[in-house]
Amino acid sequence: MDFQDYKGVWVFIEQKDGEVASVSLELLGAGRKLADKRGVELAGILIGENVKDLTNTVFEYGADAVYVYDQPIFKHYRTETFMRALLECSNKYKPEIILYGATSTGKDLASAVATDMPTGLTADTTELDVEEETGLLLASRPAFGGNIMATILCKKYRPQMATVRAKVMKALPPQSGRTGRIVEETISLKEDDIRTKVLEIVKATVKKVRIDEADIIVAGGKGLGSYEGFQLIHQLAETLGGAVGASRDVVEAGWIDHAHQVGQTGVTVTPKIYFAIGISGAIQHIVGMKNSGLIIAINKDKEAPIFQSSHYGIVGDAFELVPILIEQFKNALSREKVSNTSEG
């Protein structure tokens, strides 16, 4: 394999219902940094039906080029059809790096492509860098239960591939009117050639907790001692109009549902304010909330690792401090409400 034949950074552009997924926009920001460091082109690969207009968004968020497969056979995501398109395009143009969002679609597609190439794939990456001279992708992720960070390299094969969790990278500010090169591709696939058929799309009606969209998150850890003690987190969150988050230990103890878990095996969040109460601060948890705007930690242990990742830290007993915070916040919010009523 001649590595000199492989150039450029690609991002798989995930889209649904006429909108580009936010994780793909975040990856364009990360990909832009890698491409600039290597002095190569950043491209998106866009697959679907009636998706060509989405190229404008891809360019605005940093891409130099977009490879487009726009055919009826790609109306719904199916592993076989999307894999065939991406394999064909990759073999033709030979990118050195391909990034995917660590979504159900991205994980499925990336693993299928990696198997067929064959090449390496680093899953659930939280940090990305590239060696300027060699082009080696440095894909880092927590390992051994979140106790260490491992940087994984793919030295013998190209393209190098990684799936990246949502919210851990930052999208670039969009540049309105930015354009680039569009490469339209087609694939000679017929519906009869595909083993899977989409018969019906059934949308779930159950309302899911979306803590990744919250501006304020109050998260609690095992330091709260019990299910009853954890209710203090709910009280503070309700006072602030925020969402409830939790560490993995709390979820495993059955104090709250997995949908509230923040961390490598849970949800990655970027709220404006993040309270970490009774949370020790294992790497597994930190990677899920480190990009929060303001992090406030409360812990009895002054040596707790969480303080190293916090903007403000309070050493003390949560059962003494949190009720005081609730009272003070209620008073402040009440005064603000009275003030707004008077002005109105």
Side-chain angles (χ1 to χ4, degrees), residues 217-329:
I217 295 176
V218 182
K222 203 67 180 292
L224 290 158
S226 65
Y227 171 83
E228 291 72 23
F230 191 79
Q231 301 314 301
L232 202 60
I233 300 300
H234 288 276
Q235 293 169 27
L236 180 55
E238 183 179 354
T239 300
L240 296 173
V244 174
S247 67
R248 182 175 64 180
D249 287 340
V250 165
V251 172
E252 291 179 348
W255 299 353
I256 199 167
D257 186 79
H258 182 269
H260 295 267
Q261 182 175 326
V262 176
Q264 178 68 18
T265 54
V267 181
T268 301
V269 298
T270 56
K272 294 177 181 178
I273 303 175
Y274 187 88
F275 287 87
I277 301 173
I279 294 174
S280 62
I283 292 176
Q284 187 273 342
H285 186 81
I286 296 299
V287 298
M289 44 67 78
K290 65 180 180 179
N291 289 326
S292 301
L294 179 67
I295 301 171
I296 303 168
I298 299 175
N299 202 293
K300 287 194 295 185
D301 180 8
K302 65 179 181 180
E303 302 298 331
I306 190 67
F307 290 125
Q308 298 176 17
S309 301
S310 304
H311 299 98
Y312 295 100
I314 305 173
V315 179
D317 189 337
F319 294 103
E320 296 177 2
L321 295 170
V322 175
I324 296 173
L325 288 176
I326 291 173
E327 182 181 358
Q328 292 298 316
F329 281 129

Side-chain angles (χ1 to χ4, degrees), residues 133-167:
E133 297 300 323
T134 65
L136 272 175
L137 178 66
L138 310 177
S140 301
R141 54 158 294 158
F144 293 99
N147 293 315
I148 65 169
M149 288 293 288
T151 299
I152 301 170
L153 310 178
C154 181
K155 294 184 175 181
K156 296 182 179 180
Y157 301 98
R158 293 292 184 273
Q160 303 162 94
M161 303 205 305
T163 62
V164 184
R165 299 197 66 171
K167 302 288 186 179

Side-chain angles (χ1 to χ4, degrees), residues 45-49 67-76 78-93 109 113 116 183-194:
I45 177 160
L46 180 61
I47 306 171
E49 183 186 31
Y67 297 92
V68 183
Y69 285 85
D70 194 333
Q71 297 174 235
I73 202 165
F74 299 121
K75 180 177 182 179
H76 300 296
R78 286 177 288 180
T79 307
E80 189 174 359
T81 56
F82 276 56
M83 178 187 73
R84 291 275 295 273
L86 208 150
L87 282 170
E88 182 179 281
C89 201
S90 178
N91 289 332
K92 184 176 180 180
Y93 296 104
L109 179 60
V113 171
D116 203 274
V183 181
E184 295 187 57
E185 296 285 338
T186 58
I187 192 167
S188 56
L189 271 179
K190 296 180 180 179
E191 195 60 47
D192 292 341
D193 299 329
I194 309 303

Side-chain angles (χ1 to χ4, degrees), residues 93-172:
Y93 296 104
K94 294 182 168 46
E96 56 190 288
I97 295 170
I98 306 178
L99 305 177
Y100 308 76
T103 62
S104 55
T105 296
K107 289 179 179 180
D108 179 70
L109 179 60
S111 58
V113 171
T115 301
D116 203 274
M117 284 278 193
T119 189
L121 172 65
T122 304
D124 281 329
T125 304
T126 58
E127 295 178 16
L128 292 172
D129 200 355
V130 67
E131 290 185 355
E132 187 174 348
E133 297 300 323
T134 65
L136 272 175
L137 178 66
L138 310 177
S140 301
R141 54 158 294 158
F144 293 99
N147 293 315
I148 65 169
M149 288 293 288
T151 299
I152 301 170
L153 310 178
C154 181
K155 294 184 175 181
K156 296 182 179 180
Y157 301 98
R158 293 292 184 273
Q160 303 162 94
M161 303 205 305
T163 62
V164 184
R165 299 197 66 171
K167 302 288 186 179
V168 298
M169 304 295 170
K170 291 186 178 180
L172 296 173

